[in-house]
Amino acid sequence: MSNILIINGHPHPEQSLSGKAIIDELDRLLPQAQVRTLAALCRNGSFDVQAEQQALSAADTIVWHFPFYWYSMPALMKKWIDDVLTHGFAYGSTGTALHGKMLLISLTTGAPAAEYARGRSMTWPMEDFLPPLLQTANYCGMQSLPPVWSNGMIFINGVHGEANRERILAAAKDHAARIAAEVNA
Ligand SMILES: Cc1cc2nc3c(=O)[nH]c(=O)nc-3n(C[C@H](O)[C@H](O)[C@H](O)COP(=O)(O)O)c2cc1C
């Protein structure tokens, strides 16, 4: 069976309705997967790089899950990539540790799907924001699975109503199911 590693890059996972629901559902659907919560693993501003690299080395399929922040990943997730995907480990002539592994990019956005289009507030479709992430996988010798995203996932207590909560929880379950289907395929 494939070793699945889920990197949860949300900087405030306990405050996120969709982030928590997606990870909870992934726990249920993929009980064999290891989830690493970067917000808990970053201590005094640093990761244990060796532990992170060991977890990556042991995995066959890796999921990077995060909320879309300024059309990219949160700084915490970016720091993890900068610190952990080092020369000699992830790239360079001897950096082959990630070769042949599968990577799935999983993200949520605040803006609704209709806004990610030409002539709308986000100007470009979602696919146009993903090449730097997909190229990170390529450069490290990983194969990208089709990215999974869900739009319109922002929920602010007291601002958004119960109908929105229910819609987001259902979308989060669907999001996790799409990830599980891909990594199990
Ligand atoms: C600093 C910051 C930047 C964000 N940037 C974007 C963005 O570029 N596009 C977008 O659609 N949503 C953006 N959002 C909204 C989040 O992606 C959205 O709230 C998230 O996917 C759902 O997670 P949450 O429960 O933490 O809010 C941003 C939110 C924050 C806090």
Side-chain angles (χ1 to χ4, degrees), residues 24-123:
D24 285 352
E25 186 68 358
L26 284 173
D27 269 340
R28 195 180 72 79
L29 296 174
L30 300 171
Q32 77 278 27
Q34 181 193 162
V35 179
R36 294 183 77 80
T37 304
L38 300 191
L41 292 168
C42 188
R43 300 208 180 90
N44 301 318
S46 297
F47 291 106
D48 178 341
V49 171
Q50 208 184 347
E52 297 307 313
Q53 290 181 343
Q54 272 170 7
L56 285 169
S57 295
D60 306 308
T61 302
I62 300 157
V63 178
W64 290 348
H65 174 69
F66 51 88
F68 214 32
Y69 274 15
W70 290 112
Y71 311 103
S72 182
M73 59 184 64
L76 179 71
M77 179 90 222
K78 181 62 163 52
K79 178 178 171 50
W80 179 90
I81 287 178
D82 291 349
D83 292 357
V84 175
L85 303 190
T86 54
H87 182 266
F89 175 76
Y91 69 98
S93 58
T94 59
T96 58
L98 301 178
H99 283 197
K101 298 182 189 295
M102 310 301 289
L103 179 72
L104 190 154
I105 304 289
S106 158
L107 65 90
T108 57
T109 78
E115 294 304 315
Y116 280 93
R118 301 272 168 198
R120 305 291 299 192
S121 60
M122 300 301 149
T123 311

